[in-house]
Amino acid sequence: ASVVSKRRGEVPYLHAFLRETHRVSPSVTVSLIKNTSAALTIAGYEIPAGSKVALDTFSMTNDPDLVNEPEKFLPERFLPDAVELRKGTPAEMIDHPLCAGPFSAGARKCPGSRVANLELLSIVVTLLNDWKIELDDPSIETISDVRTHCGTLCQPSPMPKLKFSQRRRRVA
């Protein structure tokens, strides 16, 4: 992890890839549930005091009014230039910290999120460096073909078959 943590800023595409992975297939689709302490109006809807309100980040980050071609896996949408272009537009909502990952945001953010993100980066870099990973399931042509089961967490069901081939190491 030390190499990853020292060079985090040098891997913007990897960060964009992980953000896009979370957008397309979040571990938790409803990231926040709160009780209203008072009656309120949101976008013209009257919400009585004591109601449970859920933040459905999956629907927001896959809304075609906010995300161009949401059915496509496009990590480029989270590269710094694309994020900058969304500022001041309704599509900027997908860059909100509550939509950025599975660990929430602000004072209630998971205290282990920094370590978990560094571990995730380290694992992905190691896997991609050491292995060529290919989909080994002809029934899957797009991300929409992967069925999921959502309970407390969302997961593929069944898990798509993958083929791992060890990469040859270059000898210096």
Side-chain angles (χ1 to χ4, degrees):
S2 63
V3 171
V4 172
S5 63
K6 288 178 184 172
R7 302 185 72 177
R8 265 177 67 187
E10 297 177 32
V11 288
Y13 195 84
L14 178 58
H15 285 277
F17 174 86
L18 294 174
R19 285 284 311 276
E20 180 69 350
T21 300
H22 179 69
R23 182 193 69 80
V24 169
S25 181
S27 54
V28 180
T29 58
V30 176
S31 64
L32 190 67
I33 299 173
K34 295 285 184 183
N35 288 325
T36 58
S37 57
L40 63 139
T41 304
I42 299 177
Y45 293 96
E46 299 294 326
I47 301 171
S51 297
K52 288 199 182 302
V53 179
L55 175 62
D56 176 9
T57 55
F58 177 77
S59 294
M60 285 189 324
T61 59
N62 286 279
D63 182 341
D65 291 335
L66 301 174
V67 179
N68 290 333
E69 301 179 296
E71 71 286 353
K72 291 187 178 178
F73 186 84
L74 300 170
E76 297 80 5
R77 72 177 92 234
F78 289 107
L79 289 174
D81 289 345
V83 172
E84 190 63 34
L85 285 173
R86 278 193 294 275
K87 286 188 177 174
T89 72
E92 182 181 23
M93 186 176 292
I94 70 168
D95 300 314
H96 189 281
L98 287 170
C99 297
F103 299 110
S104 194
R108 300 198 186 275
K109 184 174 184 172
C110 172
S113 63
R114 185 170 180 268
V115 172
N117 280 321
L118 287 174
E119 284 187 12
L120 179 61
L121 285 169
S122 180
I123 290 167
V124 170
V125 165
T126 301
L127 281 172
L128 293 176
N129 192 43
D130 293 347
W131 300 93
K132 179 179 180 183
I133 305 168
E134 299 173 280
L135 184 62
D136 194 23
D137 188 337
S139 69
I140 298 173
E141 293 182 17
T142 71
I143 191 74
S144 300
D145 296 330
V146 179
R147 290 178 299 167
T148 58
H149 167 76
C150 290
T152 302
L153 300 176
C154 291
Q155 55 197 359
S157 180
M159 178 69 178
K161 292 181 178 138
L162 301 173
K163 179 181 172 185
F164 288 77
S165 306
Q166 194 164 15
R167 294 185 187 274
R168 295 180 192 252
R169 293 282 184 183
R170 293 184 191 163
V171 180

